[in-house]
Amino acid sequence: MSEQQLKELDEEKTTYRIEGFSCANCAGKFENNVKKLSNVHDAKVNFGASKISVYGEASIEELEKAGAFENLEVIPEKPTRTPVAEDEPKEDKIPFYKKHSTLLYSALFMALGFLSMAVNGNENIVTAALFITSMIVGGTSLMKTGLQNLVCFEFDMRTLMTIAVLGGVLIGEWAEVSVVVILFALSESLERFSMDRARASITSLMDIAPNEALIRRSGQEMTVHVDDIAIGDIMLVKPGQKIAMDGVIVDGSSSINQAAITGESVPVEKHEEDEVFAGTLNEEGFLEIKITKLVEDTTIAKIIHLVEEAQGERAPAQAFVDKFARYYTPAIMAVAALVVVVPPLFFGAEWGTWVYQGLAVLVVGCPCALVISTPISIVSAIGNAAKKGVLVKGGIYLEEIGALDAIAFDKTGTLTKGIPVMTDFEMINEQMDENKMMSIITALEYRSQHPLASAIMNRASDENISYSDVPVEDFSSIMGLGISGKIDGTQYYVGNSRLFSKLPEIHLTDAIENTITSLQQQGKTVMLAGTANSIKAIIAVADEVRETSQESLRKLHEAGIKETVMLTGDNQSTANAIGEQVGMTDVRSELLPQNKLEVIKQLKSRHKRVAMVGDGVNDAPALAASTVGIAMGSAGTDAALETADVALMGDDLNKLPFTIKLSRKTLNIIKANIVFAIGIKIIALLLVIPGWLTLWIAILSDMGATVLVALNSMRLMRVKEDE
């Protein structure tokens, strides 16, 4: 398909939320039904997020008809907003007894049937009528779908159950068939409940940001819905209120709790010109915020969208289960047929007994627990990670993270804060006043574009040393070496030792070289300042290491990461000092972006899976080449959110060990679920040999496995960072 065709299809896409999904197989059937609609070109169901994207034209009535086999309710993702009068009663949630009325009525008729059995006996017509009524009430939807599947030769769990129910009716097992129908309906309800609970993590994210905000527009203050807020509006936020939209503070300062976005538990101080995000909490001051993004483009909206998309991406384990289930269901039907036919034909056994056993095989063979074992785990884990400030872009990356052998880290902004600080200032020529020398150096750096210049200017400002009004003549930048300029008739130079070694009248003494070496070994960048005749001062600047870096590296090594490598453009001495401070197993220095890419390739040749942690933009080649690209501090950074496989929303590297732990726990739970789901089926099927398998045991084993698998998967919603 051409790029133009893809673009046209994307323009025709409409997304709807779906209520009523009970299983992944049903979601697949709904998707196929929608694809068959006359004006629909394609459709894609996201079972994890309970959504469908429709490419083409289809009315809600048509979509609900396509999902009528499971009574699906279709809701536009962006429903039309209508004003609600203040005195108009709010819509209440559907009461439990109404929502599950079919199941409750079916259970009531079944209970009356057992009561009639106790009074009138098993062969009584009233007893039979009560059990049949129970089956009809509770199993109409099941039978309708199952019969349609049989006609179309589509074999899923409902097909198996329909054959089992019909067979049970034919041999007169009214009571047991009634129980089977009710327990199957109950099992589906529990599956639906489990998936809804897993999806609740995303639903809660949707409710984080307020729907209305107080804004000032054209001199007037008004409360408006977020959909009606425009870029450039001024939003007014009082202490204790949540921020409704992304923007930049134009007046005021406050402490902002950003836990909803970054997972940080400690509030962050925000001042004028600082960016703030929708869904965060203004704890102290009164703020005036200029809106910079529409409601659909806010950071929280992007997070919700990315997480929902991630939940729809199938993990390798889920792909295996889906493929296995396609062959598993027909195989179970074949086994059931053999159980029915072989004993009577070849061993003279009773037909009635083995027909019953064959029906029990069909029931026990329902792949409910197996099919739900993976998606509920993935949805739970990705939702939990999002609430902790970690965006995992799909199930495949969730699995890959747990199997990482090596991790490469960009230094600046990842292991360090990315904000240089002037740490040392040592005068060599005592004849000049220290403040005057500092003023000269800062006046030169003020005209420089070098990243380290800000550190020197900040130090001068802190010490109230003036520099911006110092006149500088003949200023020039010497590429890769430093800067120079004439002040009060004297030519001054500021730069690295290579710059001064090129000046014919300068000689670097042993004392100066020893000082330079000592500072570099501490992880600092060293600059010299002086004239063409002499060195006047030594300056050291350092990019401060994050407080969490060392602890994070220790946790990663404890988690079994074999190799951690720091990648930086710094000189070897500075790089080694920082690498040793944080606990790296290897340090690669003086690297250009293409060199970082080569290092990643080398690591991949030694290890199966390698991650790269960077800022998501500058290290794009290395991030793309790694098995998992992890962007650091991605809140508000659209490029990082879009390009990285995993995004750590805050600047906390401790989220990385937590993510690895969550990934491994997810993998273990998925494997345990699959083994348990298949194991319980095998044990139940073995009961066929002595003829002990009953419909009761079959449905209870299937429902029990489903419940236990769902509960086991939902444990991932409660995994904590400090466990």
Side-chain angles (χ1 to χ4, degrees):
M1 190 176 289
S2 69
E3 187 175 334
Q4 179 62 29
Q5 287 174 314
L6 287 171
K7 186 177 179 182
E8 288 174 0
L9 270 181
D10 198 50
E11 288 175 355
E12 294 179 4
K13 183 175 80 169
T14 309
T15 304
Y16 301 89
R17 297 197 174 274
I18 309 299
E19 288 188 3
F21 277 147
S22 62
C23 65
N25 279 343
C26 303
K29 183 177 178 64
F30 176 56
E31 179 179 284
N32 290 331
N33 288 349
V34 173
K35 286 179 179 178
K36 293 174 185 176
L37 296 176
S38 57
N39 293 322
V40 173
H41 310 301
D42 196 9
K44 184 180 179 183
V45 166
N46 181 334
F47 177 60
S50 200
K51 294 165 65 175
I52 184 171
S53 296
V54 179
Y55 298 86
E57 293 182 6
S59 66
I60 289 179
E61 289 74 20
E62 288 176 312
L63 294 174
E64 289 188 337
K65 187 176 180 181
F69 65 93
E70 203 175 8
N71 296 318
L72 299 180
E73 184 179 352
V74 180
I75 304 164
E77 187 174 35
K78 293 183 179 179
T80 304
R81 181 165 50 87
T82 54
V84 179
E86 291 184 8
D87 56 349
E88 187 175 327
K90 293 183 179 179
E91 186 179 348
D92 294 327
K93 290 185 177 179
I94 301 172
F96 176 85
Y97 68 89
K98 285 188 177 180
K99 191 173 183 180
H100 301 282
S101 57
T102 301
L103 183 60
L104 292 173
Y105 284 129
S106 180
L108 175 62
F109 282 113
M110 182 192 70
L112 292 173
F114 279 111
L115 181 62
S116 176
M117 183 188 292
V119 175
N120 304 315
N122 193 28
E123 304 298 326
N124 184 270
I125 190 169
V126 175
T127 302
L130 287 169
F131 282 129
I132 291 170
T133 304
S134 174
M135 282 186 287
I136 292 172
V137 172
T140 301
S141 175
L142 162 68
M143 296 290 291
K144 183 179 177 182
T145 305
L147 290 171
Q148 287 175 348
N149 289 350
L150 275 174
V151 172
C152 301
F153 292 99
E154 294 178 5
F155 301 106
D156 61 11
M157 60 187 75
R158 292 193 172 205
T159 311
L160 297 182
M161 291 301 299
T162 299
I163 296 172
V165 168
L166 290 174
V169 169
L170 290 174
I171 62 175
E173 295 290 344
W174 309 107
E176 291 197 39
V177 171
S178 175
V179 172
V180 165
V181 167
I182 288 174
L183 290 180
F184 181 75
L186 182 60
S187 177
E188 284 199 322
S189 295
L190 288 170
E191 283 185 47
R192 189 180 294 114
F193 171 77
S194 301
M195 282 302 298
D196 287 344
R197 281 294 302 274
R199 294 181 186 119
S201 56
I202 305 307
T203 307
S204 64
L205 283 178
M206 293 177 183
D207 296 332
I208 283 173
N211 290 324
E212 293 182 331
L214 178 65
I215 68 163
R216 184 190 299 129
R217 184 185 294 167
S218 303
Q220 298 287 324
E221 291 186 7
M222 60 191 83
T223 299
V224 299
H225 195 277
V226 289
D227 289 343
D228 300 324
I229 296 177
I231 292 174
D233 281 340
I234 301 299
M235 179 171 57
L236 310 177
V237 185
K238 300 174 184 177
Q241 288 185 333
K242 280 190 175 181
I243 297 170
M245 301 283 285
D246 283 14
V248 174
I249 297 173
V250 293
D251 188 27
S253 61
S254 183
S255 180
I256 306 294
N257 187 328
Q258 299 188 143
I261 302 292
T262 65
E264 298 169 285
S265 57
V266 179
V268 179
E269 291 297 323
K270 296 277 187 175
H271 307 281
E272 287 185 25
E273 298 185 4
D274 284 341
E275 188 175 15
V276 293
F277 308 113
T280 57
L281 178 65
N282 175 25
E283 294 196 339
E284 294 175 358
F286 181 82
L287 298 176
E288 293 189 11
I289 300 167
K290 184 178 181 180
I291 304 301
T292 56
K293 294 179 182 177
L294 297 174
V295 64
E296 62 267 22
D297 298 322
T298 60
T299 302
I300 190 68
K302 286 183 179 293
I303 290 172
I304 293 166
H305 172 74
L306 291 171
V307 172
E308 288 188 332
E309 290 298 307
Q311 291 176 333
E313 293 295 326
R314 295 186 176 185
Q318 186 172 347
F320 161 76
V321 168
D322 291 345
K323 187 175 181 181
F324 179 81
R326 281 203 299 271
Y327 299 101
Y328 170 85
T329 304
I332 284 292
M333 293 186 69
V335 170
L338 290 173
V339 168
V340 170
V341 173
V342 171
L345 284 182
F346 295 98
F347 301 102
E350 289 287 334
W351 278 98
T353 300
W354 290 98
V355 167
Y356 179 86
Q357 290 287 301
L359 296 176
V361 168
L362 287 178
V363 174
V364 83
C366 262
C368 300
L370 183 64
V371 170
I372 203 172
S373 62
T374 306
I376 195 170
S377 299
I378 296 296
V379 170
S380 297
I382 289 177
N384 184 15
K387 293 182 78 171
K388 301 287 195 304
V390 180
L391 289 187
V392 183
K393 302 286 278 293
I396 185 170
Y397 305 117
L398 189 66
E399 288 198 16
E400 295 282 16
I401 291 167
L404 288 174
D405 297 311
I407 303 178
F409 295 83
D410 175 48
K411 178 184 77 73
T412 306
T414 301
L415 296 167
T416 63
K417 294 179 179 178
I419 304 172
V421 177
M422 183 173 163
T423 57
D424 297 85
F425 183 71
E426 183 178 333
M427 292 293 295
I428 302 298
N429 188 331
E430 300 295 341
Q431 295 177 355
M432 180 176 282
D433 179 67
E434 184 175 317
N435 285 350
K436 184 177 180 181
M437 189 66 225
M438 185 67 183
S439 177
I440 290 170
I441 294 168
T442 313
L444 292 169
E445 292 290 353
Y446 178 59
R447 290 158 176 80
S448 168
Q449 298 297 318
H450 197 278
L452 300 181
S454 61
I456 296 172
M457 290 187 289
N458 289 338
R459 174 70 170 268
S461 298
D462 291 342
E463 296 182 1
N464 296 317
I465 296 173
S466 61
Y467 58 86
S468 58
D469 55 349
V470 176
V472 178
E473 299 175 352
D474 301 329
F475 175 84
S476 65
S477 178
I478 307 165
M479 185 64 67
L481 298 175
I483 56 177
S484 72
K486 189 178 290 185
I487 298 174
D488 295 333
T490 303
Q491 190 75 24
Y492 287 94
Y493 299 85
V494 180
N496 56 36
S497 57
R498 296 198 306 276
L499 170 63
F500 283 86
S501 65
K502 292 179 179 296
L503 299 176
E505 297 185 30
I506 294 292
H507 174 66
L508 296 178
T509 64
D510 290 342
I512 291 175
E513 288 188 340
N514 289 338
T515 301
I516 293 172
T517 302
S518 174
L519 291 169
Q520 287 178 339
Q521 288 174 347
Q522 297 172 42
K524 299 172 182 177
T525 300
V526 181
M527 293 179 284
L528 304 177
T531 65
N533 302 314
S534 64
I535 295 172
K536 306 289 186 183
I538 298 177
I539 310 152
V541 176
D543 185 0
E544 289 186 303
V545 174
R546 292 185 188 277
E547 296 82 357
T548 57
S549 295
Q550 187 175 7
E551 177 71 7
S552 300
L553 266 293
R554 182 186 63 77
K555 288 180 180 178
L556 289 173
H557 292 143
E558 287 178 355
I561 299 298
K562 298 173 184 175
E563 192 170 359
T564 52
V565 185
M566 186 178 82
L567 311 181
T568 179
D570 285 350
N571 64 67
Q572 188 70 47
S573 298
T574 301
N576 285 341
I578 294 175
E580 185 177 346
Q581 183 180 346
V582 299
M584 288 286 167
T585 59
D586 192 11
V587 174
R588 305 293 180 89
S589 58
E590 300 177 15
L591 300 176
L592 296 173
Q594 58 266 33
N595 303 135
K596 293 181 181 181
L597 177 60
E598 288 301 318
V599 173
I600 295 296
K601 290 179 179 178
Q602 291 169 17
L603 287 171
K604 288 182 76 173
S605 67
R606 295 202 301 272
H607 305 284
K608 287 185 178 180
R609 294 174 179 84
V610 177
M612 171 68 189
V613 186
D615 60 12
V617 182
N618 297 335
D619 300 304
L623 285 165
S626 60
T627 311
V628 181
I630 302 172
M632 177 80 174
S634 304
T637 310
D638 292 346
L641 284 175
E642 296 297 333
T643 59
D645 303 321
V646 177
L648 308 181
M649 299 304 292
D651 290 327
D652 186 1
L653 263 182
N654 274 323
K655 302 290 183 186
L656 190 52
F658 159 72
T659 308
I660 290 174
K661 178 182 70 174
L662 179 65
S663 169
R664 290 178 177 174
K665 198 156 191 173
T666 303
L667 285 173
N668 290 337
I669 283 178
I670 288 173
K671 289 174 184 175
N673 284 347
I674 292 172
V675 170
F676 177 75
I678 295 175
I680 202 75
K681 305 288 184 191
I682 293 172
I683 293 170
L685 289 172
L686 288 175
L687 295 178
V688 171
I689 297 171
W692 295 346
L693 184 63
T694 66
L695 287 174
W696 295 61
I697 293 174
I699 191 65
L700 284 172
S701 68
D702 178 66
M703 188 179 75
T706 302
V707 172
L708 290 174
V709 161
L711 291 174
N712 193 34
S713 299
M714 288 166 67
R715 288 167 51 214
L716 291 165
M717 296 167 64
R718 295 188 293 274
V719 175
K720 297 178 182 177
E721 295 177 56
D722 53 356
E723 282 184 348

